[in-house]
Amino acid sequence: MKAPVITLSAISMVSAFRGMGDLLVPRVQNDPNLKRLPGDLDTLEESKLTPTGKLIKSILQGNGDPQDKRTAYTGSVPALDSAECARDKCCIWKHIADEMKSMMIEKGGQCNSLAREAVRMGFHDAGAWSLHTGKGGGADGSLVLANECYDRVANKGMEVGCNQMRSWYEKYKSYGVSMADLIQMGANVATVVCPLGPRVRTFVGRQDNPNPAPDGLLPKETDSADFLISLFSNKTISANELVALVGAHTTSTQHFVDPGRDGAPQDSTPGIWDVKFYGETTKWFPPQEILRFKSDIALSKDPRTFLTWKAFSLPILGQIGWNRAYATAYIRLSLLGVYNINELTECTKVLPLPS
């Protein structure tokens, strides 16, 4: 009896994921922006790529695995100030990731408000970049270093997370840790500590920039699908990848879109990284406790994205497909404005294992 079930599941999966071609196979697009690789990968010849550069390029072209669910430290972690720890570029990040994890999980094992802010911080630091605004912005730490977290309306509501990130930076900067990497590490730790969340392959070595990123490059909850697809195309991110990234609203709670409903989530399980967000956004009668963004509703209905949205709504296959698609898209996002990608170090092994 098992064989027919597996066969039907496979057929359903193929059918469900039609329309998501650029997530599951190498990106072939009419839009020239979507043929671009981030940072120095866009100009370096294949012969000059390091193993890390080749790995990232392979992932972004749909060939490599954007998740690593198993690689981890074995045995005890070397002491922070030991010579052994100093010899391993990832050792300091294991200490940091463990501290982040301890502060991002609430009783019962779900992810908490600090985790939600950390995910949002990763988006807002990296997303303030465009092909048309020069080399400024991107995943460069300016969200905190240039006080964008406090001075820009688009970043309102992340003050607690930014204060915590500044505290970690003061504690660990003497070990060569950059704010840019701290923010992206925080986002990936937060993602995997949320139950069902992907363990996104994680790279360190980004360079900080204390200058403000270009303003006006982050999406708003009232944006149309046309505007959002164009905005993210100029970040080399496709419409389907945008749908995958928007799924991070599964852990989101709003405080300013509707102040009268402070704390309202975007799906009914904000402490879990599940696909309920996709299904509940499109329901005729969604759960009363959730607040749906106009921008999310627009993407869920747009002919360029609704098939992807529908596929991610599937309870099991959707979760598998979304986690992989999200991990690929987030790696790309986290490398916008990074021009030394070929010199980065993979430190996925420091992340908590999936729950």
Side-chain angles (χ1 to χ4, degrees):
M1 294 299 294
K2 290 183 178 179
V5 173
I6 294 172
T7 302
L8 287 173
S9 295
I11 293 171
S12 298
M13 188 171 187
V14 171
S15 177
F17 285 100
R18 286 173 185 162
M20 296 195 301
D22 60 308
L23 294 178
L24 303 178
V25 298
R27 291 154 60 92
V28 179
Q29 301 287 347
N30 294 325
D31 185 343
N33 292 347
L34 304 184
K35 298 178 182 179
R36 302 282 297 270
L37 289 168
D40 48 327
L41 291 185
D42 199 42
T43 56
L44 283 173
E45 297 176 5
E46 189 73 23
S47 62
K48 295 183 178 179
L49 292 180
T50 63
T52 300
K54 290 179 181 178
L55 170 64
I56 294 173
K57 182 176 180 179
S58 175
I59 291 170
L60 297 183
Q61 291 180 331
N63 301 315
D65 192 343
Q67 302 178 81
D68 183 342
K69 302 176 183 178
R70 297 184 178 182
T71 305
Y73 271 86
T74 56
S76 59
V77 181
L80 182 61
D81 291 309
S82 67
E84 186 180 0
C85 192
R87 287 193 293 269
D88 180 357
K89 289 183 180 180
C90 296
C91 180
I92 179 62
W93 288 105
K94 175 59 175 171
H95 288 275
I96 294 170
D98 284 351
E99 184 173 343
M100 288 176 167
K101 175 186 175 181
S102 70
M103 298 179 66
M104 291 182 179
I105 299 179
E106 61 185 20
K107 291 181 179 180
Q110 297 190 11
C111 51
N112 61 18
S113 59
L114 179 59
R116 295 183 190 100
E117 288 192 34
V119 171
R120 190 171 171 226
M121 288 174 66
F123 274 73
H124 282 229
D125 192 45
W129 182 90
S130 168
L131 285 169
H132 306 307
T133 52
K135 287 194 172 184
D140 61 4
S142 63
L143 178 71
V144 179
L145 296 176
N147 291 322
E148 297 163 13
C149 200
Y150 313 97
D151 297 340
R152 295 185 177 180
V153 174
N155 299 324
K156 192 175 181 181
M158 296 188 292
E159 293 83 0
V160 172
C162 289
N163 289 343
Q164 181 58 60
M165 206 62 67
R166 195 180 291 277
S167 176
W168 280 324
Y169 181 67
E170 292 301 321
K171 181 177 180 179
Y172 292 111
K173 66 180 180 181
S174 62
Y175 296 91
V177 168
S178 71
M179 178 65 78
D181 283 340
L182 270 174
I183 292 173
Q184 296 309 320
M185 180 65 71
N188 285 353
V189 169
T191 299
V192 75
V193 301
C194 292
L196 302 182
R199 195 168 185 251
V200 181
R201 298 186 81 151
T202 301
F203 305 89
V204 300
R206 296 172 185 79
Q207 298 171 352
D208 282 341
N209 183 359
N211 299 309
D215 204 357
L217 296 177
L218 296 175
K220 299 184 293 296
E221 74 281 354
T222 55
D223 287 336
S224 67
D226 271 338
F227 181 85
L228 288 169
I229 291 170
S230 176
L231 177 71
F232 278 81
S233 165
N234 287 326
K235 303 180 194 298
T236 76
I237 293 172
S238 73
N240 284 337
E241 288 171 321
L242 170 59
V243 173
L245 291 172
V246 163
H249 286 168
T250 185
T251 64
S252 171
T253 56
Q254 72 83 34
H255 302 279
F256 306 107
V257 174
D258 184 348
R261 298 184 61 194
D262 183 31
Q266 271 68 74
D267 81 7
S268 57
T269 53
I272 302 175
W273 192 273
D274 57 26
V275 295
K276 286 187 177 180
F277 162 76
Y278 290 105
E280 292 176 352
T281 297
T282 58
K283 279 187 175 180
W284 283 103
F285 300 102
Q288 291 185 349
E289 70 269 24
I290 74 169
L291 188 149
R292 300 182 296 176
F293 290 170
K294 292 179 180 178
S295 54
D296 293 337
I297 295 172
L299 281 174
S300 74
K301 295 180 178 180
D302 191 274
R304 293 163 289 187
T305 51
F306 84 92
L307 284 176
T308 307
W309 197 285
K310 183 178 180 181
F312 289 156
S313 302
L314 298 172
I316 297 176
L317 296 179
Q319 185 79 48
I320 295 169
W322 173 47
N323 275 1
R324 181 179 177 87
Y326 177 89
T328 301
Y330 193 80
I331 289 171
R332 176 177 285 271
L333 179 74
S334 73
L335 296 174
L336 297 181
V338 179
Y339 297 95
N340 63 329
I341 296 173
N342 203 41
E343 301 167 6
L344 300 183
T345 299
E346 183 177 9
C347 287
T348 311
K349 66 180 182 179
V350 310
L351 294 178
L353 291 171
S355 59

